[in-house]
Amino acid sequence: MARRRLDTQAALANLPLFRKLTAQELALIAQGTRVVRAARGELLLRKGEMPSGFYLVVFGQVKLALSSHQGVEKVLQLFGPGQSFGEAVMFLECPYPVHAACLVDSLLLHVSQQVIFEAIDANADFARRMLGGLSSRLHELVTDVEAYSMRSAAQRLVGYLLNLSESQAVPEAQVSLPTSKHIVASRLNLTPETLSRLLHTLAADQLISVDGRAVTIRDVERLRSYA
């Protein structure tokens, strides 16, 4: 990974969480922020560790996951540029219940717990945005639980593909799986074999075509009503 100097304050200003802060407020947060350059596969946090802040992804991709005693991993969430993770545990001041690892070479910012608490005390709008982010994360987790317990495997995959295409208001959509099919399968609580079978079935029904990670949804409305 290229080692170029990063303007921490400018990077913070480009992230959604910090966009409404003043230059002075950003400068204070930058003082409590360190740049983290992590290689693919590198662990950013380990289950059982105590938090000292939270992470923001500048570029790259990170997974939050749990591992069983048998070594089976369950991917809980994926994070990309502009997204953050670790806030809830930071506020609870309890050990991490999961581990986080980079799926690709990544650049992140680690913002200290102390500087965030000071920013919240000084800026009610910032506090509301932090609460909004945590509430959104909770909503995602509730949606996941619903999907795992109430929806079939096919419905989970179809919903995932449609979410990837939601910004494209067209009959046919081009999407790209954000990571390997193995990771996507874990994220959807499927086995890799089940994911491959479902993709093959959707392709045989001429609803999608698949080329590696590239997926063409041939008819968005038909796919929406499929499962």
Side-chain angles (χ1 to χ4, degrees):
M1 189 187 303
R3 294 274 173 172
R4 294 181 293 177
R5 182 177 178 82
L6 177 73
D7 184 334
T8 302
Q9 187 169 330
L12 289 171
N14 286 327
L15 294 167
L17 182 61
F18 297 123
R19 278 181 187 156
K20 293 185 179 180
L21 296 185
T22 66
Q24 183 178 9
E25 289 167 335
L26 281 171
L28 290 173
I29 291 178
Q31 290 176 11
T33 299
R34 61 183 174 88
V35 177
V36 178
R37 299 178 187 272
R40 177 182 177 183
E42 186 172 336
L43 281 175
L44 296 165
L45 55 89
R46 292 174 172 80
K47 182 179 178 179
E49 289 181 341
M50 290 298 295
S52 58
F54 74 102
Y55 286 91
L56 290 148
V57 183
V58 179
F59 68 76
Q61 190 175 52
V62 175
K63 66 178 178 181
L64 289 190
L66 287 168
S67 294
S68 70
H69 294 299
Q70 293 75 33
V72 178
E73 184 179 74
K74 171 67 180 81
V75 177
L76 301 174
Q77 288 182 294
L78 299 173
F79 298 97
Q83 295 181 304
S84 60
F85 60 94
E87 306 97 315
V89 178
M90 177 188 73
F91 284 113
L92 290 171
E93 298 182 284
C94 64
Y96 290 118
V98 298
H99 65 265
C102 293
L103 292 171
V104 296
D105 291 349
S106 302
L107 178 65
L108 306 100
L109 298 175
H110 179 270
V111 187
S112 77
Q113 182 182 55
Q114 180 180 350
V115 77
I116 288 298
F117 286 177
E118 290 172 354
I120 287 173
D121 288 340
N123 187 325
D125 186 53
F126 179 72
R128 283 192 292 270
R129 288 204 300 283
M130 289 294 297
L131 285 171
L134 291 172
S135 299
S136 176
R137 197 72 46 80
L138 176 61
H139 178 73
E140 290 174 8
L141 290 173
V142 170
T143 300
D144 279 352
V145 171
E146 178 190 11
Y148 300 153
S149 60
M150 304 292 289
R151 299 178 188 172
S152 68
Q155 287 173 325
R156 274 176 262 160
L157 175 58
V158 167
Y160 183 76
L161 293 175
L162 290 172
N163 283 338
L164 290 177
S165 70
E166 63 183 3
S167 64
Q168 305 177 46
V170 291
E172 181 176 293
Q174 306 283 336
V175 301
S176 179
L177 299 180
T179 185
S180 69
K181 291 175 184 175
H182 181 84
I183 298 293
V184 170
S186 181
R187 178 71 182 87
L188 297 176
N189 207 30
L190 305 172
T191 65
E193 294 76 17
T194 298
L195 176 64
S196 294
R197 177 176 55 80
L198 289 171
L199 288 172
H200 179 77
T201 299
L202 293 175
D205 289 340
Q206 298 187 342
L207 289 165
I208 66 171
S209 58
V210 183
D211 182 9
R213 291 188 188 178
V215 178
T216 300
I217 300 175
R218 298 175 130 187
D219 189 324
V220 172
E221 288 307 314
R222 276 189 64 213
L223 185 65
R224 201 183 305 279
S225 62
Y226 178 82

